[in-house]
Amino acid sequence: MTFRRAADIGAAALAALVFFGSPAWAAKPARIVSLNLCTDQLLLSLAPRENIAALSFLVADPISSAYTAEARGIKLLRGQAEEILPLKPDLVFAGLFTTPATIRILKRFGIPVVTVQAATNFATIERNINLVARAIGFPERGKKLIEKLRETLPPESGTHAKPRPIAALLWANGFSSGRGTLSHAVIERAGFRNLASLLGQPGTHVLPMERLVEQGPDILVIGHPSPYPSLANKLLLHPALRAAFKAKPRIAIGDGLWLCGTPATARAVRLLSDKWKEASK
Amino acid sequence: MTSSKRRYVLGISGLTTLAVFAFCVSLFVGPAAVGLSDLAGFFGSAPSETGWLIFSEIRLPRAILGFAVGATLGLSGAALQGYLRNPLAEPGIIGVTASAALFAVIAFYTGLAASFALALPIGGILGAVAAVMLIQILAGRDSSVLTLILAGVAVTSFAGAMTSLALNLSPNPFAAYEVIFWMLGSLADRSFEHVWLAVPFIAVGWLMLLTLGNALNALTLGEDEAASLGFNLSRIRLRLVLGTALSVGAATAVSGAIGFVGLVVPHLLRPLVGHSPKLLLPVSALGGGILVLSADIIVRLLPFEREIKLGVLTAMIGAPFFLILLLKHRRNLL
Amino acid sequence: MTQLATTGLTVSLGGHEILRDVSCSFETGEFVALIGPNGAGKSTLLKSLAGLQDYSGQITLDRQSLGLIERRERARTIGYLGQSGQAHWPISVEALVSLGRLPFGDENDQNGAAAIETALADCDLLPLRHRAVTALSGGERARVLLARVLAGQPKILLADEPVAGLDPTHQLDVMTTLHDKAAGGAAVIVVLHDLSLAVRFAERIILLHNGVVAANGTPDDVITPENLADCYGIEAKQGLVDGIPYVLPASRI
């Protein structure tokens, strides 16, 4: 065996190790880019700032994001390949719906892309935290974050008296979230029954105002009204709604807390259960 | 009583009965189970509170607006056809509803309507005025069917594009979804706020249009002869413009752009009144109200998850109707 | 006795002077033919008399300025039958003729029904009364439009080429009816192109040329070889056959 040959084998073995080996062995990605609001926020809670090269512009929107403060000072992108490539990223996070064309270009340039599916309950939130933490090379941070999340959540059982009170979720333009959505998981975890799932429709769908009034839920949960005029906002001011909930509690929870499954989502659960406790006094 | 007068009286009574019937049916259609027992609240006995709430705050304003908007569209269609002597004129085709929607959108999304509620119907009215005047300039008096339709296409396209642009520029994140409401119209979740905003203007508009009857009859003979019969043509035109703008503008501002009603209804009912433009006015109002109320009932009975927009239904009936009329009038287009 | 008169009537359209300093008068009981070459201003004069045209100068109805008379009242006195008469919607003959009663209002029109019946009878429309106007022939439609004017029982009747495009039968019908109305006391002013009809039915003829009154008098006074040559640029044969006068354009000059 020549020296050169041994070196080749050694290099190949090293490459294999790097490629398949444990993250603790491999060099941690130093120029991470995220193209998706949810992965943006996970990155901000897990990665050291200097490793983040850029995030999507949505993370700076105070309505949709819970991490606007943390995102300050970081480069924001619209998501086009032209913006991403000059940054020479060594890891890119994307969501299921990130433009496929962009991802194809990145892959063609040999950039590793990790797709993270949106979390729809707390189990998948924890899964995503672990996934991102491992990919960026800080698995122990992931575990710590999950611990903190579990602490923030109120105790699981015995949160409210049986039968559990019914919460109605009302988004802009009359939409509500049923079984299989993150909002549904939050409602249930906070100790309520979700009106939308009781009425049978899964996923995000329109909840007719008449049904909402007819069913007489115990608490109304809405997102923060947009500061700009919209028909969606006007719906929330409908006289029937106001009359139906005159004596009942209502709470507005910022979209940023539960648009994505992040550690901040636990705060939403906390807010809901605290509100109910306060209203029940 | 002559046979034609008898036919007219029968027609009016029949249509009124139908309108009342459609109104009542509309009050009992909806996703919630609201029945007669819930209406006991109206008569003082122990009501079901949610039932009464649904009935009085959701169903009743919706039915009132349904009739008001429909009657407006039918009436203004008949008036425009009588004045322009053109059976294809109606507020949707000539661009009045699109223009009203545009100005209403501007009033709403710039926040004007938030600080001054009347800005919404007034916006719609101004938009309607602009369109009617523009149409008069482009294709007024005795001009061919083709010219009128082309002018309408121009106004509608422009207004539609500007509406999309306005919603695009608005910082409102739901703009893309809400544009559907403005372009296709809907009566879902209307409240008495909308009724009070629109109905006063609509009522005044109706008054102005209904009094045009004799003038429209005289215009059957042409403008010179009508003037020779003692009619002040410029005042007639002003009343038509204002009446149409007030009623259609306010109606569109609260229900979005609903098309084709003003085309289909007068056309179907003309034989009932012996083609008299004057008698066609009240008859078209009733017919329009019935049509929109019925469409609104159907829209709530359809098993779709999301209520389809009213304009979709009226277009499904109206667009083929329009094509048939165009084919009939082919010779006029050359 | 109602009198319609113009003094110094001048009408300009689009910078063009159509009528210049026209002065003439008409009285009830007269049948006046308004003739002249194309573009002489006949229709414009008629429209001005009907109050449909802006003008400078004076037009008086019974010594009251036309512009100061309330529209409806003027409409009750002056009836106008335009050149290109239309009937836009397929309403019944009877309904169209009834439109002539519009200036009288819906409520107080006691004579209305009788006037409509008379008009229908005069124009031989009784068998057609329920037919749709748009389904009629050209001649029948012309009679319907005439009946509409007659239904208003105007004291002054202005007709712009009422026999244009009609066959001889209907031409005679319309002219006879108009003549009867004049005999019955109305002032009838008719724009005509057919010189024979003019000399046959009118007792007075006004010849317009280039916006001014070239001649105003009896048919004999007006239809002279000189006037025909100056205004129309033609030579014509005139004569009398069985008591019916005729004018036959022969050749250009």
Side-chain angles (χ1 to χ4, degrees):
Chain A
M1 207 190 304
T2 65
F3 182 72
R4 189 183 266 161
R5 198 124 196 264
D8 283 339
I9 294 173
L14 197 61
L17 210 57
V18 169
F19 195 72
F20 293 111
S22 80
W25 245 99
K28 301 199 172 93
R31 288 181 308 280
I32 309 171
V33 168
S34 166
L35 301 177
N36 168 268
L37 175 63
C38 302
T39 50
D40 290 344
Q41 298 182 81
L42 286 176
L43 260 186
L44 284 171
S45 12
L46 290 169
R49 266 182 87 90
E50 59 272 12
N51 289 11
I52 302 179
L55 300 170
S56 84
F57 72 100
L58 289 166
V59 79
D61 177 14
I63 296 176
S64 324
S65 161
Y67 289 79
T68 47
E70 292 85 334
R72 225 168 288 158
I74 299 185
K75 187 177 183 61
L76 298 177
L77 303 176
R78 295 240 139 222
Q80 293 182 353
E82 271 182 34
E83 300 171 284
I84 306 169
L85 291 172
L87 299 171
K88 295 203 185 33
D90 45 21
L91 179 61
V92 171
F93 285 100
L96 270 183
F97 296 107
T98 307
T99 322
T102 313
I103 296 183
R104 245 178 280 138
I105 294 180
L106 294 175
K107 286 203 175 134
R108 218 180 318 142
F109 276 77
I111 302 169
V113 176
V114 176
T115 311
V116 179
Q117 238 180 343
T120 53
N121 52 43
F122 285 93
T124 43
I125 293 182
E126 295 186 3
R127 180 204 69 197
N128 283 353
I129 291 178
N130 279 326
L131 176 64
V132 173
R134 257 198 301 248
I136 62 173
F138 292 92
E140 62 301 336
R141 287 202 186 190
K143 290 198 183 52
K144 268 211 209 93
L145 196 59
I146 290 175
E147 257 176 58
K148 246 184 63 198
L149 192 155
R150 291 187 183 160
E151 279 167 27
T152 320
L153 290 173
E156 179 88 57
S157 56
T159 327
H160 301 297
K162 296 247 180 325
R164 287 179 295 149
I166 300 177
L169 288 172
L170 196 61
W171 307 131
N173 284 307
F175 280 88
S176 190
S177 298
R179 191 163 297 126
T181 62
L182 183 61
S183 322
H184 174 78
V186 169
I187 294 286
E188 299 249 306
R189 186 65 180 77
F192 297 92
R193 281 176 290 164
N194 182 2
L195 178 62
S197 75
L198 287 178
L199 292 177
Q201 296 229 274
T204 308
H205 58 275
V206 168
L207 177 60
M209 176 147 311
E210 280 192 17
R211 295 286 249 144
L212 179 54
V213 172
E214 183 190 27
Q215 298 290 316
D218 302 299
I219 182 173
L220 180 65
V221 184
I222 60 178
H224 276 307
S226 148
Y228 311 109
S230 68
L231 293 174
N233 283 352
K234 295 237 76 173
L235 193 67
L236 296 175
L237 297 171
H238 196 287
L241 205 61
R242 273 184 296 170
F245 283 90
K246 224 186 343 210
K248 297 191 186 151
R250 73 151 74 178
I251 178 171
I253 297 185
D255 287 353
L257 292 183
W258 47 1
L259 207 61
C260 284
T262 66
T265 311
R267 252 188 285 152
V269 180
R270 236 301 123 60
L271 284 168
L272 271 171
S273 84
D274 286 348
K275 178 78 187 189
W276 184 251
K277 277 204 205 92
E278 176 198 318
S280 315
K281 287 208 199 85
Chain B
M1 200 185 281
T2 62
S3 73
S4 65
K5 201 149 193 199
R6 199 181 311 135
R7 196 169 30 156
Y8 175 66
V9 170
L10 268 174
I12 288 266
S13 345
L15 285 171
T16 310
T17 315
L18 265 178
V20 170
F21 177 67
F23 186 86
C24 293
V25 171
S26 174
L27 290 175
F28 289 96
V29 172
V34 175
L36 273 172
S37 52
D38 299 291
L39 298 188
F42 190 68
F43 299 105
S45 45
S48 141
E49 213 193 293
T50 49
W52 178 242
L53 186 61
I54 292 173
F55 174 76
S56 62
E57 293 290 349
I58 299 180
R59 301 246 178 114
L60 191 57
R62 181 167 184 154
I64 293 175
L65 272 181
F67 183 79
V69 170
T72 295
L73 294 173
L75 176 60
S76 64
L80 282 168
Q81 287 174 24
Y83 183 80
L84 295 172
R85 269 101 68 211
N86 198 314
L88 290 175
E90 73 109 17
I93 291 177
I94 66 172
V96 174
T97 45
S99 188
L102 169 62
F103 279 60
V105 159
I106 294 175
F108 185 78
Y109 290 95
T110 53
L112 211 61
S115 28
F116 174 55
L118 282 177
L120 186 64
I122 290 177
I125 291 168
L126 288 176
V129 168
V132 179
M133 299 204 339
L134 195 58
I135 288 291
Q136 267 280 288
I137 296 173
L138 292 174
R141 39 165 95 188
D142 288 338
S143 57
S144 72
V145 167
L146 182 63
T147 315
L148 184 68
I149 296 175
L150 286 179
V153 168
V155 175
T156 306
S157 311
F158 185 71
M162 289 297 109
T163 304
S164 288
L165 180 65
L167 284 165
N168 233 307
L169 292 175
S170 139
N172 163 23
F174 310 109
Y177 178 78
E178 290 174 10
V179 72
I180 304 175
F181 165 81
W182 294 103
M183 306 283 231
L184 288 177
S186 165
L187 289 170
D189 297 326
R190 303 292 90 188
S191 68
F192 267 107
E193 183 200 349
H194 299 106
V195 174
W196 298 135
L197 276 181
V199 167
F201 292 106
I202 290 178
V204 174
W206 282 2
L207 224 67
M208 299 184 106
L209 290 177
L210 284 169
T211 53
L212 281 175
N214 279 335
L216 294 181
N217 271 359
L219 280 169
T220 308
L221 302 167
E223 286 199 354
D224 282 337
E225 274 79 349
S228 78
L229 284 169
F231 290 94
N232 185 336
L233 288 185
S234 37
R235 203 176 297 167
I236 301 292
R237 176 168 57 226
L238 187 68
R239 225 188 304 165
L240 175 79
V241 170
L242 278 183
T244 303
L246 281 170
S247 53
V248 176
T252 307
V254 296
S255 72
I258 299 172
F260 295 108
V261 176
L263 177 75
V264 172
V265 170
H267 204 86
L268 288 178
L269 295 175
R270 221 173 250 124
L272 187 70
V273 294
H275 295 260
S276 154
K278 173 179 179 180
L279 298 179
L280 192 59
L281 293 176
V283 149
S284 298
L286 285 170
I290 294 170
L291 183 60
V292 171
L293 277 172
S294 310
D296 198 36
I297 291 169
I298 294 175
V299 142
R300 280 176 287 173
L301 290 177
L302 288 174
F304 299 127
E305 181 206 285
R306 236 172 292 168
E307 231 181 62
I308 65 171
K309 298 286 178 270
L310 268 182
V312 172
L313 266 188
T314 59
M316 285 197 331
I317 308 170
F321 200 90
F322 180 53
L323 283 173
I324 294 173
L325 279 187
L326 269 184
L327 288 174
K328 262 215 283 181
H329 285 264
R330 239 184 322 195
R331 54 192 132 82
N332 293 4
L333 299 182
L334 295 170
Chain C
M1 179 73 78
T2 306
Q3 192 201 54
L4 181 64
T6 82
T7 319
L9 178 69
T10 305
V11 176
S12 296
L13 283 174
H16 239 58
E17 234 181 17
I18 310 290
L19 291 176
R20 205 176 342 132
D21 202 21
V22 170
S23 300
C24 51
S25 73
F26 311 89
E27 277 167 10
T28 41
E30 283 196 286
F31 190 124
V32 181
L34 197 53
I35 65 172
N38 287 339
K42 308 186 294 296
S43 293
T44 311
L45 176 56
L46 215 64
K47 276 201 183 150
S48 308
L49 291 171
L52 302 176
Q53 180 74 56
D54 288 333
Y55 59 86
S56 43
Q58 272 228 33
I59 302 183
T60 58
L61 176 63
D62 281 342
R63 241 147 292 178
Q64 254 192 303
S65 175
L66 195 64
L68 295 177
I69 301 177
E70 198 253 318
R71 279 171 202 266
R72 272 258 196 104
E73 209 196 297
R74 187 206 72 220
R76 285 192 280 264
T77 314
I78 303 180
Y80 174 78
L81 180 60
Q83 196 172 27
S84 41
Q86 326 155 11
H88 222 91
W89 305 103
I91 60 179
S92 70
V93 165
E94 188 172 343
L96 193 142
V97 173
S98 314
L99 293 178
R101 299 304 298 176
L102 276 173
F104 295 87
D106 288 324
E107 305 84 30
N108 307 323
D109 196 15
Q110 291 98 344
N111 294 337
I116 295 169
E117 287 300 312
T118 316
L120 287 171
D122 284 345
C123 298
D124 194 22
L125 291 171
L126 288 168
L128 298 175
R129 68 194 302 160
H130 296 301
R131 293 269 297 277
V133 178
T134 46
L136 299 176
S137 72
E140 290 166 334
R141 194 172 21 241
R143 280 170 24 224
V144 175
L145 294 175
L146 175 63
R148 189 276 303 169
V149 187
L150 296 180
Q153 294 176 326
K155 291 209 204 78
I156 299 179
L157 205 160
L158 307 169
D160 198 339
E161 297 196 45
V163 295
L166 294 184
D167 61 28
T169 327
H170 293 110
Q171 284 195 352
L172 287 177
D173 284 342
V174 170
M175 292 304 293
T176 315
T177 310
L178 287 173
H179 190 256
D180 291 343
K181 286 301 158 190
V188 178
I189 306 153
V190 185
V191 170
L192 286 173
H193 266 149
D194 189 329
L195 298 175
S196 291
L197 287 178
V199 299
R200 178 172 166 183
F201 286 95
E203 39 194 75
R204 184 152 68 93
I205 298 185
I206 296 180
L207 172 58
L208 275 186
H209 182 49
N210 282 341
V212 292
V213 176
N216 184 348
T218 66
D220 287 333
D221 291 340
V222 174
I223 308 294
T224 62
E226 298 79 35
N227 282 340
L228 288 178
D230 289 339
C231 300
Y232 284 98
I234 59 165
E235 209 187 279
K237 305 281 177 235
Q238 287 179 267
L240 207 61
V241 170
D242 289 344
I244 301 172
Y246 64 85
V247 178
L248 206 55
S251 59
R252 289 185 73 152
I253 294 185

